[in-house]
Amino acid sequence: MVAVLTIEGLAKSFAGVRALDGVDVEVHEGEILGLVGPNGSGKTTLFNCVTGFVRPTAGTVLWKGRNITQLAPDQIARLGVVRTFQQKMVFPRATVRENVEMAWRGKRGGDTGQQFKSCDDLLDFLGLAHLKDRLATDIPFGSARNLGLGLALAANPRLLLLDEPAGGLNQDEGQELADLISKIKELGITVWVIEHDMPFIMSLCERIIVLHVGKRIAEGRPAEVANDPNVISVFLGEKFAKDSAT
Amino acid sequence: MVAVSRSFAGTLLRQYPPADILTIRLPLAILLALPLLAPMLLPSTRLLSLAITAAIFLIVANGLHIVFGYTGQLSLAHTTLWGVGAYTAALLAIHYGWPTAALIPAAGISAAIAAVAIGIPAFRTAGFSFAIITFAFAEILRTVAINWRDLTNGGAGLMLRTPPTSIGPIEFETIRHLDNFYYLTLAFAYLSLAGVFLIRQSRLGRTFIAIRENESLARSLGINVYLHKLIAFGLSGFFAGVAGVFLLYNNQKIEPGPLSPFSAFFTIQFLLMILIGGRFSMLGPTIGAVIAVFAPEVIRPLIGLTPLGDLSTARIQIIFGSTLVLTVLFAPNGVAGQAKERYGALAAALQKFRERQGGAAPPGAAAGG
Ligand SMILES: Nc1ncnc2c1ncn2[C@@H]1O[C@H](COP(=O)(O)OP(=O)(O)OP(=O)(O)O)[C@@H](O)[C@H]1O
Ligand SMILES: [Mg+2]
């Protein structure tokens, strides 16, 4: 197991709120790693720190041994670490094909280059070929979600960070997405995925990290994590809070 | 008879899909070629002068389109760059006698350099702050133009009495050869249009639009947003600078007064042109520039103003303001956007008609839904 991404002691405070509080993570080459945790536990902030969108207060991020903590988002993306967003994941006033063209990045120095032969090839892979001339605002939500994923793929990633890709999808769409993510893994791309939906993440990931108020409280194989008493108390607590709120 | 002609129409429509030749390419080509006939069609020298103004405005507006329309950055220094081009050309022509063919790239490059110089600090910020900083730079340049008397001759400005350099026997002197000067300006107007078209088709243009549409997303995909904003601003400055040469020849002077490129009036007017013409359309600025120049001509008799003398600036602004309000209400994507929508409806209707005629599904038709 080779660690491609190593996060050490990562911390981030927003005006006194500790969104991340000394998080350590290793992402292994070729795996699908899950990141779960209640709302506001710092999952998106962790991705933001890794991809340069947010400057961490402390800690380091190493990508293949290189310190990328202070790099700008576009530099990090060009090194092969590409993320998706929870919302606003496409370019609305451009066609589906133009969207992919905008994101398209060919060979990267020294690397093997694109997994896909062309933008059309990628659109086929995503099952979006029939929508390619439509404006991105006009396509169904599930397709837009796939397109968002496609943009990240077009940018020629080695590590893909997916922020709640299954949010708002129904069960069938969720299953399709899980299949797509497995296919992405088969292309040799490492995947790190945030998700609320436990069944989704349990079936998809080999390994899961659990975040709670900015701290990593558990890590391991899905079955181990699911039986971890800390995790159970956090998630039961969340469920209890939700139930009592409604 | 009716049945025959109907099936003929059906065949024709099948052969030429509506999205193609008959309904869009041909009318568009005719429309774009129409300005070539202006010297023959326009009944007076005054109207031809207005057509020249429209052609110059169009170059400026196409430049603004790159930074504002494509890249989504609200620059309030754009018309100032137009003035920078005009001053550059005036200085080089007056002091060094440069020919037109050298003035055009020189003015373009100097305005592009000014744009990049403004952009380097201004693009550290975004949105309103960016707009305010560009406005501040515009004011600084205006103050320089007024106060650096040795260079700019202050508020009186610089005079240029020499017409554009002749090309062989073709002269461009604006009193005796106004139509030649018109064609020269028009050629550059067409070039500016070709320029925005080529940029829109290129990877660079797609990158600009990606930045306009979603800056964070663009950045997450490896696009250097800051650098590309500078490139867009530099290109827009180049267009403005080139237009400055024609402004200079047309007015035979450049000065920093209230109706010059340095005025807030023009800053606003050019933004309005793009909004009215359509900021998401390639032809938006062209349509906006033509409307800006000719609308007062059409409106003047309608509102019964004195036929002699020009509309005052204030009145033009009132007209423009109301046009903008109407545009926002009835055509939020501008005239060009509205036309596209209408065309979409027309194409859909034709499509339906065709399907009823032929039955067979057209090849490559957009999926329904
Ligand atoms: N830019 C910001 N400014 C201020 N506070 C922020 C900012 N970004 C995140 N936070 C705070 O940091 C904490 C963690 O937020 P984050 O978005 O990382 O949670 P999350 O785990 O992604 O939640 P969700 O499941 O709802 O997406 C929250 O308390 C949030 O309010
Ligand atoms: Mg989140």
Side-chain angles (χ1 to χ4, degrees):
Chain A
M1 282 185 303
V2 185
V4 279
L5 189 80
T6 310
I7 297 168
E8 285 165 358
L10 207 65
K12 177 68 194 177
S13 303
F14 292 107
V17 179
R18 276 194 200 162
L20 291 177
D21 195 0
V23 175
D24 300 320
V25 179
E26 273 192 0
V27 183
H28 303 149
E29 181 145 35
E31 73 173 335
I32 300 180
L33 176 64
L35 179 59
V36 299
N39 286 110
S41 56
K43 305 182 295 295
T44 298
T45 305
L46 181 54
F47 275 16
N48 282 340
C49 287
V50 171
T51 51
F53 280 89
V54 159
R55 284 263 166 275
T57 324
T60 53
V61 180
L62 300 177
W63 167 242
K64 295 184 169 170
R66 174 174 174 185
N67 190 338
I68 60 166
T69 322
Q70 299 301 324
L71 295 188
D74 55 302
Q75 290 175 305
I76 294 173
R78 289 196 299 273
L79 290 173
V81 180
V82 182
R83 56 90 57 85
T84 64
F85 292 89
Q86 243 170 312
Q87 272 143 10
K88 298 192 177 163
M89 62 289 264
V90 298
F91 300 112
R93 274 170 306 228
T95 66
V96 167
R97 191 170 198 286
E98 280 177 322
N99 262 266
V100 174
E101 286 170 345
M102 285 167 177
W104 187 262
R105 202 157 284 286
K107 283 210 164 75
R108 217 180 21 243
D111 222 277
T112 48
Q114 265 285 359
Q115 287 84 4
F116 300 95
K117 285 199 290 287
S118 65
C119 294
D120 287 319
D121 191 25
L122 175 55
L123 286 171
D124 277 338
F125 176 82
L126 299 164
L128 293 173
H130 62 295
L131 294 173
K132 70 178 186 322
D133 294 323
R134 299 269 293 275
L135 286 184
T137 37
D138 295 342
I139 64 176
F141 181 77
S143 303
R145 185 59 61 103
N146 274 8
L147 181 56
L149 201 61
L151 295 185
L153 286 174
N156 195 4
R158 297 283 114 203
L159 170 62
L160 202 53
L161 309 181
L162 306 176
D163 196 347
E164 287 198 37
L169 297 185
N170 66 33
Q171 196 146 18
D172 286 348
E173 289 169 330
Q175 189 50 51
E176 274 174 37
L177 181 72
D179 293 344
L180 193 60
I181 294 174
S182 303
K183 280 204 276 175
I184 290 170
K185 180 200 151 166
E186 281 159 25
L187 291 172
I189 298 169
T190 309
V191 180
W192 190 9
V193 53
I194 294 177
E195 196 41 70
H196 268 301
D197 183 41
M198 285 310 272
F200 177 89
I201 210 118
M202 291 287 188
S203 66
L204 187 64
C205 303
E206 294 120 74
R207 217 158 57 89
I208 296 174
I209 285 170
V210 185
L211 218 55
H212 181 48
V213 278
K215 283 198 166 78
R216 191 186 72 180
I217 58 161
E219 181 197 330
R221 279 184 282 123
E224 291 166 10
V225 169
N227 293 319
D228 187 304
N230 278 333
V231 176
I232 290 168
S233 76
V234 164
F235 275 87
L236 281 182
E238 193 194 27
K239 190 167 176 356
F240 178 75
K242 265 188 198 156
D243 289 348
S244 57
T246 48
Chain B
M1 251 332 258
V2 176
V4 169
S5 69
R6 262 206 194 157
S7 77
F8 174 70
T11 318
L12 201 67
L13 283 170
R14 249 192 310 283
Q15 276 176 3
Y16 299 100
D20 233 328
I21 303 156
L22 280 178
T23 32
I24 188 153
R25 298 266 160 80
L26 195 65
L28 206 61
I30 292 172
L31 208 64
L32 285 175
L34 211 56
L36 290 170
L37 303 176
M40 287 136 246
L41 295 179
L42 295 176
S44 71
T45 311
R46 207 176 68 79
L47 284 175
L48 189 58
S49 285
L50 282 180
I52 291 170
T53 304
I56 298 172
F57 278 18
L58 201 151
I59 304 171
V60 180
N62 274 331
L64 182 56
H65 197 43
I66 297 169
V67 72
F68 177 56
Y70 289 173
T71 321
Q73 305 302 306
L74 183 60
S75 164
L76 299 181
H78 186 70
T79 49
T80 305
L81 298 171
W82 183 25
V84 168
Y87 268 107
T88 307
L91 290 170
L92 292 172
I94 294 167
H95 298 303
Y96 304 99
W98 281 30
T100 310
L103 292 181
I104 288 171
I109 289 167
S110 88
I113 291 172
V116 172
I118 294 171
I120 285 172
F123 285 128
R124 298 272 166 214
T125 65
F128 268 123
S129 319
F130 170 76
I132 299 297
I133 293 174
T134 56
F135 183 71
F137 274 104
E139 280 301 292
I140 291 170
L141 284 169
R142 190 172 70 88
T143 313
V144 168
I146 293 172
N147 293 308
W148 193 354
R149 296 237 161 83
D150 295 341
L151 188 73
T152 63
N153 197 27
L158 298 170
M159 301 283 173
L160 182 72
R161 295 286 182 219
T162 48
T165 325
S166 309
I167 303 174
I170 308 168
E171 289 180 52
F172 299 103
E173 198 275 316
T174 49
I175 295 183
R176 280 173 299 124
H177 302 285
L178 192 63
D179 37 359
N180 286 352
F181 182 66
Y182 167 74
Y183 282 121
L184 184 67
T185 315
L186 185 66
F188 279 85
Y190 278 131
L191 278 178
S192 76
L193 200 55
V196 289
F197 177 75
L198 289 176
I199 290 170
R200 178 67 185 83
Q201 301 299 315
S202 72
R203 180 169 180 91
L204 190 63
R206 285 198 295 270
T207 303
F208 293 162
I209 287 171
I211 291 170
R212 176 191 79 197
E213 289 296 293
N214 190 335
E215 209 173 299
S216 295
L217 182 57
R219 195 167 275 141
S220 80
L221 298 168
I223 291 170
N224 186 334
V225 169
Y226 181 73
L227 177 71
H228 282 91
K229 283 178 177 176
L230 278 180
I231 296 172
F233 206 14
L235 283 171
S236 80
F238 186 84
F239 281 57
V242 170
V245 180
F246 292 96
L247 181 77
L248 176 71
Y249 281 130
N250 195 39
N251 295 353
Q252 299 184 345
K253 68 167 187 184
I254 174 70
E255 42 87 26
L259 266 181
S260 76
F262 294 88
S263 64
F265 169 69
F266 270 128
T267 304
I268 304 297
Q269 209 193 10
F270 275 91
L271 288 169
L272 293 185
M273 276 181 220
I274 291 189
L275 291 174
I276 290 169
R279 95 182 163 102
F280 301 120
S281 308
M282 217 197 69
L283 286 178
T286 301
I287 294 170
V290 172
I291 290 177
V293 174
F294 288 103
E297 285 304 299
V298 178
I299 290 163
R300 192 199 315 273
L302 292 183
I303 55 176
L305 293 169
T306 54
L308 299 167
D310 267 322
L311 283 174
S312 72
T313 311
R315 279 176 187 155
I316 293 177
Q317 261 168 335
I318 291 168
I319 291 169
F320 248 74
S322 356
T323 315
L324 182 68
V325 171
L326 291 176
T327 311
V328 169
L329 286 177
F330 298 109
N333 289 335
V335 174
Q338 189 72 6
K340 259 193 239 165
E341 253 168 57
R342 286 287 151 84
Y343 167 73
L346 178 75
L350 282 172
Q351 175 87 20
K352 247 189 215 153
F353 174 74
R354 206 169 71 182
E355 270 161 23
R356 249 187 308 163
Q357 286 299 316

